[in-house]
Amino acid sequence: MISLLRFGLPGTRLPMQETRDSEVKSVELPNCKLIKGIETGAEDLEILPNGLAFFSAGLRYPGVKSFEPDKPGKILLMDMNEEDPTVLELKMTGSNFDASSFNPHGISTFTDEDNTVYLLVVSHPDFKSTVELFKFQEEEKSLLHLKTIRHELLPNLNDLVAVGREHFYATNDHYFVDQYLRSWELYLGLAWSNVVYYSPDDVRVVASGFDFANGISMSPDRKYVYIAELLAHKIHVYEKHANWTLTPLKSLDCDTLVDNISVDPVTGDLWVGCHPNGMKIFSYDPENPPGSEVLQIQNILAEDPKVTVVYAEDGKVLHGSTVASVYKGKMLVGTVFQKALYCEL
């Protein structure tokens, strides 16, 4: 998700203005509806192969609008196989888990060999960064909290992609933790954010030099890692090696602020939630709200990938799209702090 800090200083460079702040060219889909029960955002989402979708809802982020600033966040569940799917809130249990400070951001799932599903959630309790590890209990419609992960190399987490129960790649969207230093980091255009590989026995930076590393995902064959560099408007492709190192392969310019990346497990297409006029998120005006945009990227490894704007609008429906994901001809679109959309493609 985007940071406010680049907008608070006189004379600050404003790459958000490089995107289409004036007008968003509408690209409509005929069969879309808002999802009942999502009113405070769905910043990230992930769909399991069986059609169950997890939503990260209620993110509170400095400088960004929140419609329920005093309430903790939550994880919602939807069954996309239903004819008219709805969401329900998953109960979170665990003796050492403080649900009152839960502030979910990026999420990722890992399915074990015995088909146990684990949900890994970036959270910001007291605006710090942790990864919360849960076991999904489908029959009880609940999440059992197993562990809180903290590490000095994970200070400013945004998103993650799980490669094991306690193994993941994660993006830090800033280098500095201190708010004043973070403001100068952005003001000076210091591309110092990074990607970290984490396991219980091995934690290291595996990629760096990003101007706000944001969404991260992986190809269906697990050979490639995709990283969204928000303020550079780029998606980077890295080759993943057996020792968990990453080698850069290519970058794709997207002409918009790229947020979270979802990958279609069948086709390998990337689906990207984007901000066509991101500055409006930080000077929120309900009469002139931020717009939304969804990109589909086909054959990203090819010399000339096909990039399609699947959905775009100026904020009349959705304010600030962050993520899109598809399942059997249906698409979900989430936002930073507002609503979420269900579409039939």
Side-chain angles (χ1 to χ4, degrees):
M1 218 200 53
I2 313 165
S3 171
L4 171 66
L5 300 174
R6 189 166 286 178
F7 306 102
L9 299 173
T12 306
R13 71 184 186 98
L14 298 176
M16 300 290 186
Q17 290 178 330
E18 296 171 10
T19 55
R20 291 146 284 147
D21 268 330
S22 57
E23 182 178 348
V24 178
K25 184 178 179 181
S26 178
V27 178
E28 297 182 359
L29 291 172
N31 298 305
C32 292
K33 60 182 179 181
L34 294 172
I35 301 172
K36 294 180 180 179
I38 299 181
E39 304 291 339
T40 59
E43 202 281 336
D44 202 7
L45 66 93
E46 181 150 333
I47 306 173
L48 295 177
N50 63 5
L52 293 180
F54 297 96
F55 296 81
S56 165
L59 174 66
R60 288 159 289 136
Y61 198 86
V64 175
K65 176 70 175 178
S66 173
F67 290 110
E68 292 183 344
D70 299 322
K71 292 186 178 182
K74 51 197 173 184
I75 301 295
L76 306 176
L77 184 72
M78 169 187 280
D79 186 349
M80 295 189 70
N81 297 296
E82 295 177 355
E83 185 173 337
D84 187 18
T86 58
V87 295
L88 61 86
E89 181 178 351
L90 293 175
K91 180 181 179 182
M92 292 179 287
T93 62
S95 57
N96 296 317
F97 178 63
D98 179 14
S100 66
S101 64
F102 187 54
N103 188 9
H105 200 163
I107 63 174
S108 184
T109 61
F110 178 77
T111 302
D112 225 333
E113 293 179 356
D114 63 359
N115 290 322
T116 301
V117 175
Y118 297 95
L119 180 69
L120 290 77
V121 184
V122 170
S123 181
H124 301 293
D126 301 318
F127 300 110
K128 298 176 181 178
S129 285
T130 65
V131 173
E132 306 297 341
L133 173 63
F134 297 94
K135 177 182 177 181
F136 175 48
Q137 299 174 309
E138 185 173 352
E139 290 188 6
E140 295 89 346
K141 297 294 188 290
S142 67
L143 295 170
L144 174 63
H145 184 257
L146 301 177
K147 187 176 184 178
T148 296
I149 297 171
R150 300 181 180 88
H151 196 275
E152 61 182 6
L153 291 180
L154 304 173
N156 296 299
L157 291 174
N158 187 298
D159 195 18
L160 78 172
V161 57
V163 293
R165 172 177 154 166
E166 297 182 45
H167 304 67
F168 54 84
Y169 292 101
T171 56
N172 286 301
D173 54 29
H174 292 77
Y175 176 82
F176 293 110
V177 175
D178 179 82
Q179 293 287 342
Y180 177 75
L181 293 177
R182 282 161 61 116
S183 68
W184 279 103
E185 178 183 347
L186 293 175
Y187 175 72
L188 295 173
L190 303 178
W192 286 2
S193 69
N194 60 31
V195 175
V196 172
Y197 169 73
Y198 177 92
S199 74
D201 304 315
D202 181 16
V203 187
R204 52 193 149 112
V205 174
V206 290
S208 58
F210 299 106
D211 194 358
F212 203 111
N214 199 315
I216 186 168
S217 194
M218 191 175 293
S219 61
D221 60 11
R222 317 297 278 181
K223 292 182 179 180
Y224 304 101
V225 173
Y226 307 125
I227 301 165
E229 187 179 10
L230 182 94
L231 296 177
H233 313 155
K234 293 180 179 179
I235 291 178
H236 302 278
V237 181
Y238 282 74
E239 184 177 3
K240 180 176 71 69
H241 302 287
N243 62 357
W244 305 107
T245 58
L246 300 177
T247 301
L249 286 183
K250 65 176 299 185
S251 299
L252 179 68
D253 292 315
C254 294
D255 190 35
T256 187
L257 294 160
V258 286
D259 204 309
N260 289 317
I261 304 168
S262 300
V263 178
D264 186 328
V266 178
T267 65
D269 296 350
L270 280 65
W271 293 78
V272 189
C274 304
H275 304 281
N277 43 24
M279 286 189 66
K280 293 183 180 181
I281 291 175
F282 304 105
S283 54
Y284 180 70
D285 178 0
E287 300 300 318
N288 186 26
S292 292
E293 185 176 36
V294 173
L295 300 184
Q296 178 189 12
I297 303 172
Q298 298 169 282
N299 301 315
I300 192 168
L301 294 175
E303 184 176 345
D304 187 20
K306 182 180 180 182
V307 181
T308 304
V309 179
V310 175
Y311 177 81
E313 55 94 21
D314 61 4
K316 292 184 175 65
V317 180
L318 288 183
H319 300 175
S321 57
T322 53
V323 62
S325 191
V326 296
Y327 175 78
K328 293 186 177 180
K330 293 166 278 192
M331 180 176 70
L332 301 174
V333 184
T335 65
V336 184
F337 54 79
Q338 190 226 14
K339 299 179 184 291
L341 200 64
Y342 172 91
C343 298
E344 294 180 3
L345 299 174

